[in-house]
Amino acid sequence: MAAALTAMLTLAVTALSIGLATGVQAAALSSAPRASASAGTADFGCFHPVQAGRARCFGVLKAHRTTSGRMSPFTTGSPTTVGYVPSDLRSAYKLGGTSGAGRTVAIVDAMDDPNAESDLAAYRSAYGLPSCTTANGCFRKVNQRGQASPLPSGDYGWAEEISLDLDMVSATCPDCHILLVEAGSANVPDLMTAEDTAAGTPGVVSVSNSWGGPEDNTVTSFDSHFDHPGVAITASSGDSGYGVSWPASSPYVTAVGGTSLSKASTSRGWTETAWSGAGSGCSAYEAKPSWQHDSGCARRSVADVAAVADPNTGVAVYDTYSSCGGGVLCDTELQLGLAQGADGWVEVGGTSVSSPIIASVYALAGNTSQVVAGSYPYGRTSALNDVISGSNGSCGGSYLCTAGPGYDGPTGLGTPIGTGAF
């Protein structure tokens, strides 16, 4: 029986591979994640055609070569074969010996991840992190109004984003509590309701937003939803290279850019360059905050700080919510782009990684009662790694797209050296 099933699976894989060239398979692929601008990567399935008033998440899957030689953005891997693990991140940003002391980091995303708690448990167990469950009071999942039900409909792409966000909070601040607030849709009004719920929940000290969209002339009317004194709010700068997204451009958030992070034979043990996909630039609509003094942008500059985001130096994430339900055949369908979601360990990047990392560093620092918008790191640059090389596009050699000493667009003021800048 086992031999027969193996033979059937082999025939199915062969047929599916041949069928990829046909119109039928092309139609099936239309619902799969789109190819990213970076070779060998794909955006999460929560990417949607650009629409006014609708956000997308900023997660990027790294492709892995399968045994058949195909490049696939999906892998079942293991906790030690895909991406950086919690000990790597805490080493890279000098977070050893720090504690969140039960402070709560909130995550705002759209739609539901039905497997959020079980996948979170698997990630934390794999790396020996303390349990974080509904039962022990560490984890809560609510809808945009703060209620346990009804939850939004499940979405495979947003579920990947949710898994990423929860895992990065766990990696960066293992003893933080986590509040997951799920907006009913990716439309801005729903996300704003979720934002207010997250920031207004007792115990929350920081809120991460790993999503955004192009600026337009309506964005300033929504900025008040990020104005929550005493709560640090972070937002991903985007994954399409040079160019500004909102809410990263809001003056009430810490805009988080991205780096490529590599181990090195240096005193730090790591090196970073600007990630080519990180968003940055000069806002077309948001006024210059009083705490920004760069001379090449008369309005709000993006980003403020940064952390790892390059999917080619990505992080390990555990996600099992897929349209094919799991198992060997499901993995094959995922590898061929015939199903959505993931089925285990994946290596991911995008500024979706860097935003929850920085939100968690704020929680570790415990200073958010003093945080006013995104200004706090600007007076504490000695506690940041200045990233001085790399670029994310063409802007005439300006610091807005080219990393260099001091402030620059792709990496802002730099990346954490412990919690001193937060």
Side-chain angles (χ1 to χ4, degrees):
M1 179 66 73
L5 287 173
T6 300
M8 290 173 64
L9 180 58
T10 301
L11 288 172
V13 170
T14 302
L16 288 171
S17 299
I18 295 172
L20 282 173
T22 71
V24 173
Q25 297 300 342
L29 284 168
S30 66
S31 62
R34 74 179 182 97
S36 171
S38 301
T41 66
D43 291 323
F44 285 1
C46 50
F47 179 89
H48 296 281
V50 174
Q51 298 176 2
R54 186 175 180 86
R56 55 154 294 197
C57 69
F58 290 130
V60 182
L61 286 156
K62 180 180 178 181
H64 292 265
R65 193 169 295 281
T66 66
T67 54
S68 65
R70 289 182 52 82
M71 288 300 292
S72 168
F74 306 96
T75 177
T76 52
S78 76
T80 58
T81 61
V82 288
Y84 290 133
V85 304
S87 59
D88 291 323
L89 297 176
R90 290 177 66 81
S91 167
Y93 298 123
K94 299 295 185 285
L95 300 174
T98 58
S99 170
R103 302 181 188 106
T104 300
V105 178
I107 298 297
V108 172
D109 280 314
M111 312 308 292
D112 181 39
D113 176 4
N115 297 354
E117 186 166 2
S118 58
D119 285 350
L120 174 64
Y123 178 89
R124 295 177 73 101
S125 175
Y127 301 118
L129 305 179
S131 174
C132 188
T133 66
T134 302
N136 67 15
C138 174
F139 175 72
R140 287 182 62 206
K141 180 171 78 168
V142 298
N143 62 24
Q144 66 188 40
R145 300 193 182 280
Q147 301 165 340
S149 66
L151 294 171
S153 301
D155 183 277
Y156 304 113
W158 280 100
E160 290 181 61
E161 178 61 55
I162 289 169
S163 291
L164 165 57
D165 291 340
L166 298 180
D167 291 354
M168 289 306 95
V169 176
S170 299
T172 310
C173 184
D175 60 350
C176 280
H177 290 183
I178 305 174
L179 172 67
L180 170 60
V181 184
E182 297 181 332
S185 76
N187 295 326
V188 168
D190 283 344
L191 287 163
M192 296 303 94
T193 299
E195 195 73 23
D196 290 332
T197 293
T201 299
V204 169
V205 298
S206 61
V207 182
S208 175
N209 303 278
S210 291
W211 46 267
E215 287 189 306
D216 59 35
N217 60 8
T218 70
V219 296
T220 57
S221 66
F222 293 106
D223 280 338
S224 61
H225 296 281
F226 300 95
D227 183 12
H228 296 278
V231 178
I233 298 181
T234 65
S236 301
S237 70
D239 291 346
S240 300
Y242 180 57
V244 176
S245 69
W246 182 90
S249 62
S250 170
Y252 296 111
V253 310
T254 298
V256 187
T259 69
S260 301
L261 174 71
S262 301
K263 294 183 178 180
S265 299
T266 62
S267 57
R268 178 187 172 192
W270 300 84
T271 185
E272 287 178 283
T273 60
W275 174 46
S276 62
S280 71
C282 183
S283 173
Y285 301 98
E286 299 283 9
K288 192 77 167 176
S290 61
W291 33 268
Q292 277 194 325
H293 302 290
D294 55 305
S295 60
C297 173
R299 296 183 181 272
R300 168 74 154 115
S301 299
V302 174
D304 297 314
V305 295
V308 60
D310 185 348
N312 293 304
T313 65
V315 298
V317 166
Y318 189 77
D319 174 43
T320 62
Y321 186 51
S322 71
S323 61
C324 50
V328 175
L329 183 57
C330 176
D331 295 340
T332 300
E333 291 175 0
L334 289 167
Q335 290 166 357
L336 294 173
L338 303 178
Q340 301 175 67
D343 185 31
W345 293 98
V346 290
E347 182 170 357
V348 305
T351 52
S352 280
V353 175
S354 55
S355 179
I357 288 175
I358 296 300
S360 301
V361 176
Y362 269 117
L364 288 169
N367 296 321
T368 56
S369 62
Q370 305 175 47
V371 170
V372 179
S375 65
Y376 200 82
Y378 282 78
R380 296 158 181 84
T381 57
S382 63
L384 294 165
N385 299 296
D386 190 7
V387 181
I388 61 173
S389 64
S391 73
N392 63 356
S394 177
C395 61
S398 164
Y399 70 92
L400 290 172
C401 71
T402 305
Y407 178 85
D408 59 70
T411 68
L413 301 165
T415 63
I417 304 174
T419 61
F422 301 92

